[in-house]
């Protein structure tokens, strides 16, 4: 019985050492794209997928910049609230989600003015696909609570 217990401990211990873990410091050192770089890449991606003309590219660039600024501001506000250690109340959570949905509605209206109906259908399909991918990643993250990289 002791041998079996020792063998089980060795297997579990070896498994923990075999997987490469990323520390917070290493994550911070990883190269991140600036907001401007992300906008440029996103605009080029939209141009390729939706076949945007030059005028549409300019208008979408303005829209993407606005969305990026709002997202960064919301992220900073959320992080500061989280660092204080006070959890969000149900009222604050409701206000935050309500504001986010209002911004999505406004974004859709702005994009609808820029794109033609065919492009708008493609954009909506892309948004649905992206939403599905995010849900899948979130489910995977909740199923695997360890932050490890499997090779």
């Amino acid at each position: 019985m002791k041998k079996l217990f020792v063998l089980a401990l060795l297997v579990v211990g070896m498994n923990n050492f075999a997987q490469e873990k990323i520390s917070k410091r290493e994550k911070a050192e990883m190269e991140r794209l600036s907001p401007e770089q992300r906008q440029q890449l996103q605009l080029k991606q939209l141009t390729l997928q939706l076949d945007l003309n030059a005028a549409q590219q300019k208008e979408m660039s303005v829209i993407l910049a606005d969305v990026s600024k709002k997202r960064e501001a919301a992220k900073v506000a959320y992080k500061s609230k989280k660092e204080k250690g006070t959890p969000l109340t149900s009222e604050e959570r409701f206000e935050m989600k309500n504001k986010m949905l209002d911004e999505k509605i406004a974004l859709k209206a702005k994009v609808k003015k820029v794109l033609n109906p065919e492009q708008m259908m493609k954009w909506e399909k892309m948004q649905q696909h992206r939403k599905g991918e995010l849900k899948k990643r979130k489910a995977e993250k909740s199923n695997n609570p360890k932050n490890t990289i499997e090779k």
Side-chain angles (χ1 to χ4, degrees), residues 33-142:
L33 295 176
S34 71
E36 294 80 20
Q37 290 172 326
R38 280 185 296 215
Q39 283 174 249
Q40 286 178 350
L41 292 176
Q42 192 175 12
L43 181 62
K44 286 184 180 186
Q45 206 170 30
L46 284 174
T47 301
L48 287 173
Q49 292 171 342
L50 300 177
D51 195 29
L52 301 177
N53 60 33
Q56 288 175 323
Q57 286 180 18
K58 286 180 184 177
E59 291 179 40
M60 287 300 289
S61 176
V62 172
I63 292 171
L64 291 174
D66 185 43
V67 168
S68 178
K69 286 178 188 174
K70 287 180 181 178
R71 184 178 297 129
E72 290 298 320
K75 190 185 290 187
V76 168
Y78 181 74
K79 281 186 178 182
S80 68
K81 182 78 172 173
K82 190 175 181 179
E83 286 175 356
K84 290 179 183 176
T86 56
L88 291 174
T89 64
S90 61
E91 185 65 30
E92 289 173 328
R93 185 172 280 121
F94 171 76
E95 288 176 18
M96 188 173 71
K97 287 185 179 186
N98 195 24
K99 183 180 176 184
M100 183 181 68
L101 289 173
D102 288 341
E103 288 175 3
K104 280 186 179 183
I105 292 168
L107 172 67
K108 189 172 181 177
K110 288 178 187 177
V111 170
K112 203 172 208 176
K113 290 179 184 177
V114 174
L115 302 178
N116 64 38
E118 182 183 323
Q119 291 172 325
M120 190 64 190
M121 286 178 54
K122 284 182 184 178
W123 184 78
E124 287 176 345
K125 284 181 184 178
M126 288 170 27
Q127 296 300 314
Q128 289 297 323
H129 178 72
R130 184 172 179 231
K131 186 177 178 181
E133 290 294 320
L134 290 174
K135 280 185 178 181
K136 187 166 56 170
R137 269 194 249 148
K138 187 176 180 181
E140 287 174 1
K141 189 175 181 180
S142 67

